[in-house]
């Protein structure tokens, strides 16, 4: 990918990330993403273009509102930088082609639900539904695997988590179940299973570390969405290598 395209994608990703941040922060609160226009949550002053440059405005204004000097949450620039890095990496790794129609929205989706789940412990229905419809439409005309793979993916993804929710009596939220149904529709049933296993592994490891560090108490619920997102991210880029390595290991032992 040449440098100019790379810079263009980086800038575009930053603005997209900033928009997704707004989605992640406003939708769970039941607010519209368009109205009111971006404003300071303290003084409600409407923000101008110079206040809305992703990441840069935050540092130029030293993390304060230009109008009332109230502190702006660091979640905005951190969320924007995180989302933009994921999008830039994805464009670079996937390269130019139809697959970007799946890869970029998928990563945008994962970044947005990670922020919502960390902030509010919610994966919004509206966001799940929006991406579900989007991926279903793309899969109507672009399917590297037989179309049925994606339909089964939706059933396996949603079904697996629903089963765990029933068995664990609410250990898994409705948002998580729908999230995995959406991802099944986007990627098919094989990646959904690998993602879930990886997410459980990550969740278990981090859970133990947080318990030992006494950051969380036993029985305290940790949002599972970010772990699912991490599992899906790793599976999307390295899923085949992981499956091959695993099969090799089984066959040798
Ligand atoms: Zn203000």
């Amino acid at each position: 990918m040449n440098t100019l395209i790379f810079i263009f994608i980086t800038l575009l990703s930053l603005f997209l990330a900033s928009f997704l941040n707004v989605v992640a922060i406003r939708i769970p609160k039941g607010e519209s993403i368009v109205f009111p226009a971006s404003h300071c949550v303290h003084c409600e002053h409407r923000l101008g273009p110079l206040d809305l440059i992703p990441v840069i405005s935050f540092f130029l204004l030293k993390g304060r509102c230009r109008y009332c000097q109230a502190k702006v949450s660091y979640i905005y620039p951190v969320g924007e930088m995180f989302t933009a890095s994921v999008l830039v990496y994805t464009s670079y790794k996937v390269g130019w082609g139809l697959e970007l129609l799946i890869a970029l929205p998928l990563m945008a989706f994962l970044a947005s639900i990670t922020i919502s789940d960390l902030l509010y412990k919610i994966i919004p229905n509206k966001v799940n539904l929006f991406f579900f419809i989007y991926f279903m439409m793309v899969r109507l005309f672009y399917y590297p695997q037989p179309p049925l793979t994606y339909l089964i993916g939706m059933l396996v993804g949603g079904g697996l988590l629903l089963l765990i929710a029933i068995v664990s009596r609410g250990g898994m939220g409705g948002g998580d179940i729908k999230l995995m149904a959406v991802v099944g529709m986007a990627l098919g049933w094989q990646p959904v299973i690998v993602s879930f296993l990886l997410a459980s592994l990550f969740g278990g490891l981090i859970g133990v570390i947080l318990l030992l560090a006494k950051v969380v108490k036993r029985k305290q619920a940790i949002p599972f969405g970010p772990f699912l997102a991490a599992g899906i991210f790793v599976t999307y880029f390295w899923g085949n290598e992981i499956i091959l390595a695993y099969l090799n290991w089984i066959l040798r032992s």
Side-chain angles (χ1 to χ4, degrees), residues 9-235:
I9 287 183
T10 307
L11 291 176
L12 196 68
S13 296
L14 267 173
F15 279 96
L16 192 61
S18 171
F19 172 71
L20 287 164
N21 232 13
V22 173
V23 171
I25 291 167
R26 285 193 183 185
I27 292 278
K29 290 194 284 186
E31 296 174 7
S32 154
I33 43 176
V34 194
F35 299 106
S38 296
H39 56 274
C40 167
V41 286
H42 296 279
C43 67
E44 311 216 326
H45 195 292
R46 193 174 166 163
L47 299 180
L50 276 178
D51 307 316
L52 290 169
I53 308 164
V55 185
I56 294 163
S57 291
F58 182 86
F59 287 104
L60 283 181
L61 298 170
K62 301 196 178 74
R64 288 181 182 276
C65 166
R66 186 196 300 275
Y67 311 98
C68 72
Q69 308 303 319
K71 276 200 166 171
V72 178
S73 170
Y74 67 90
I75 287 170
Y76 291 90
V78 170
E80 284 165 358
M81 277 192 282
F82 166 71
T83 310
S85 322
V86 170
L87 295 179
V88 169
Y89 177 77
T90 302
S91 316
Y92 178 73
K93 193 96 201 266
V94 173
W96 192 248
L98 273 182
E99 183 59 26
L100 272 186
L101 286 178
I102 294 293
L104 282 181
L106 179 70
M107 297 310 159
F109 175 50
L110 297 180
S112 140
I113 64 101
T114 298
I115 295 170
S116 299
D117 209 9
L118 286 176
L119 282 179
Y120 309 108
K121 298 201 164 89
I122 282 177
I123 298 175
N125 272 333
K126 274 185 193 165
V127 174
N128 272 332
L129 184 65
F130 173 85
F131 282 98
F132 179 72
I133 293 171
Y134 171 80
F135 288 123
M136 197 173 60
M137 306 238 297
V138 174
R139 285 311 184 203
L140 288 177
F141 66 89
Y142 169 61
Y143 40 88
Q145 301 194 59
L148 209 57
T149 312
Y150 305 104
L151 203 62
I152 298 172
M154 175 191 82
L155 298 174
V156 169
L160 187 65
L161 271 83
L162 179 64
L163 194 71
I164 291 164
I166 294 168
V167 172
S168 68
R169 294 182 190 184
M172 199 66 71
D176 299 318
I177 300 172
K178 289 168 211 161
L179 160 72
M180 286 309 262
V182 177
V183 172
M185 175 54 81
L187 300 180
W189 61 269
Q190 308 90 328
V192 144
I193 295 175
V194 180
S195 305
F196 178 73
L197 294 175
L198 283 177
S200 308
L201 188 72
F202 297 156
L205 280 175
I206 303 282
V208 167
I209 292 170
L210 292 180
L211 266 178
L212 290 177
K214 299 205 162 81
V215 177
V216 293
K217 294 191 190 80
R218 197 172 285 273
K219 301 245 168 183
Q220 184 181 342
I222 304 171
F224 197 48
F227 295 111
L228 287 171
I232 296 157
F233 178 80
V234 171
T235 304

